[in-house]
Amino acid sequence: MLRDPSLHPLSHQHQHGLALCVILRRTLADDWSEETRRDLAQKVRAAWEIELEPHFAVEESILFPAVKGRIDDPRIVDRLIEEHREIEARIRDLLADPEEHRLRSFAAYLNDHIRCEERELFEQIQEHLNEAELAALGRRLNASLSKACPNTGLPWET
């Protein structure tokens, strides 16, 4: 199913998160030196501060409350919130000690989390909210995301 424009701001940020996962995997495939691992950990830190943390906050304060009672399986929202906390913990761990397995594990976990939001949650949202509801939700999401994380590129990539 095509993504409704109301969810595009979140989906665009999901693409940034998936790009981070690819960068981590590809870089570690070629070089897992301590210097490289520390550099990758700093990219993760920047992604967290610039986009992931504000993204999670917007999902938890706007998206999830708006849709939890409207989708087939509201438990998915609880699971995604738990995954947000797990992602935060994994980031703390890899920043403290950027071991190769922590970086790889983080990339896999973040990738799976994003895929779940896109393939399960967003599909259910689009099935159960009408056009006007989606548009109103999209305006709220866009306004909050514009304030919380105005960067639209991959600023952590530099």
Side-chain angles (χ1 to χ4, degrees):
M1 176 184 294
L2 289 176
R3 189 61 59 232
D4 187 89
S6 64
L7 298 171
H8 283 178
L10 292 173
S11 285
H12 289 157
Q13 289 184 339
H14 286 163
Q15 291 301 314
H16 297 171
L18 292 172
L20 175 63
C21 296
V22 169
I23 288 168
L24 294 173
R25 284 192 304 264
R26 287 184 180 171
T27 302
L28 289 169
D30 293 333
D31 179 7
W32 56 89
S33 68
E34 182 176 348
E35 180 181 345
T36 296
R37 293 190 325 266
R38 290 195 185 288
D39 179 58
L40 291 173
Q42 291 311 305
K43 288 185 186 321
V44 171
R45 177 193 304 272
W48 171 252
E49 292 171 354
I50 293 167
E51 195 163 80
L52 291 173
E53 185 176 31
H55 176 93
F56 288 179
V58 168
E59 285 182 336
E60 292 178 21
S61 66
I62 295 174
L63 180 68
F64 295 164
V67 303
K68 187 173 183 177
R70 307 286 309 280
I71 57 178
D72 293 330
D73 183 6
R75 293 173 300 177
I76 191 172
V77 170
D78 298 327
R79 187 178 96 215
L80 292 169
I81 292 170
E82 289 174 14
E83 289 178 7
H84 284 177
R85 300 297 83 79
E86 177 65 20
I87 290 165
E88 292 169 9
R90 287 175 184 238
I91 290 171
R92 280 191 305 274
D93 289 346
L94 73 83
L95 290 175
D97 187 8
E99 295 178 9
E100 178 186 2
H101 78 275
R102 283 190 172 137
L103 288 159
R104 288 184 190 280
S105 175
F106 169 77
Y109 195 87
L110 180 61
N111 180 81
D112 291 348
H113 172 79
I114 292 169
R115 298 292 186 196
C116 177
E117 285 187 352
E118 288 286 333
R119 294 177 180 162
E120 294 179 39
L121 180 66
F122 286 10
E123 293 297 322
Q124 289 186 45
I125 290 170
Q126 289 181 197
E127 288 176 21
H128 295 288
L129 274 68
N130 64 40
E131 190 175 317
E133 292 167 327
L134 283 167
L137 178 60
R139 285 189 296 276
R140 290 182 61 212
L141 290 170
N142 196 43
S144 291
L145 287 170
S146 296
K147 292 176 190 170
C149 37
N151 296 313
T152 57
L154 301 175
W156 41 264
E157 208 172 32
T158 58

